[in-house]
Structures are given as C-alpha cells and as structure tokens.
Amino acid sequence: MAMTLRLNDEQERALALLAETDGVSKHEATVRAITEAAARRVRDDRVRALSHDGRERYAALLDRLAQ
C-alpha cells in the first residue's frame, strides 16, 4: 500500500537523524518507528493488565504489608 507522509521541518529532521543513525533509508526508519511504537504499546498494555490483575489478586496481602 502506498501512502504519503506529510512532515513539518522538525519532523523531517528527526526522521533524517533516525535514518542516518541507523544507517537505513527514511522509509525503513519510518517502518521501524511504527513497528517499535506498536510493539511498545502492546507491551505496555500487557504490563498494565498484569499489574492490575496482581493488585487485585494480592490486595489483602498488599494492605497488610502497607501497615
């Protein structure tokens, strides 16, 4: 799928820096950034869910430890 990505000057410089730092094209830097952001979001959501489950499961113990 083709798409147009419109960037302001600051975003263009940031993308160019990412690409240069990683030694890849701007296209590849964009794809990597999207993939990494999606993976991080999924991972963060999973950590939040596990934390919530743990707090519920061990609520009584955590209350006792807090005293």
Side-chain angles (χ1 to χ4, degrees), residues 32-49:
R32 287 181 181 186
I34 291 167
T35 302
E36 290 170 10
R40 190 171 44 253
R41 174 94 32 99
V42 168
R43 190 172 45 248
D44 290 350
D45 288 348
R46 181 72 178 133
V47 168
R48 269 192 290 280

Side-chain angles (χ1 to χ4, degrees), residues 38 53 56 59:
D53 292 348
E56 283 187 350

Side-chain angles (χ1 to χ4, degrees), residues 4-62:
T4 300
L5 180 63
R6 295 185 193 336
L7 303 174
N8 63 32
D9 290 341
E10 183 178 343
Q11 293 165 333
E12 168 65 27
R13 284 190 298 273
L15 178 57
L17 180 61
L18 270 177
E20 183 179 337
T21 300
D22 289 346
V24 298
S25 67
K26 290 181 192 177
H27 173 269
E28 180 63 21
T30 303
V31 170
R32 287 181 181 186
I34 291 167
T35 302
E36 290 170 10
R40 190 171 44 253
R41 174 94 32 99
V42 168
R43 190 172 45 248
D44 290 350
D45 288 348
R46 181 72 178 133
V47 168
R48 269 192 290 280
L50 289 170
S51 175
H52 179 264
D53 292 348
R55 286 191 315 270
E56 283 187 350
R57 181 175 182 183
Y58 298 109
L61 174 61
L62 291 171

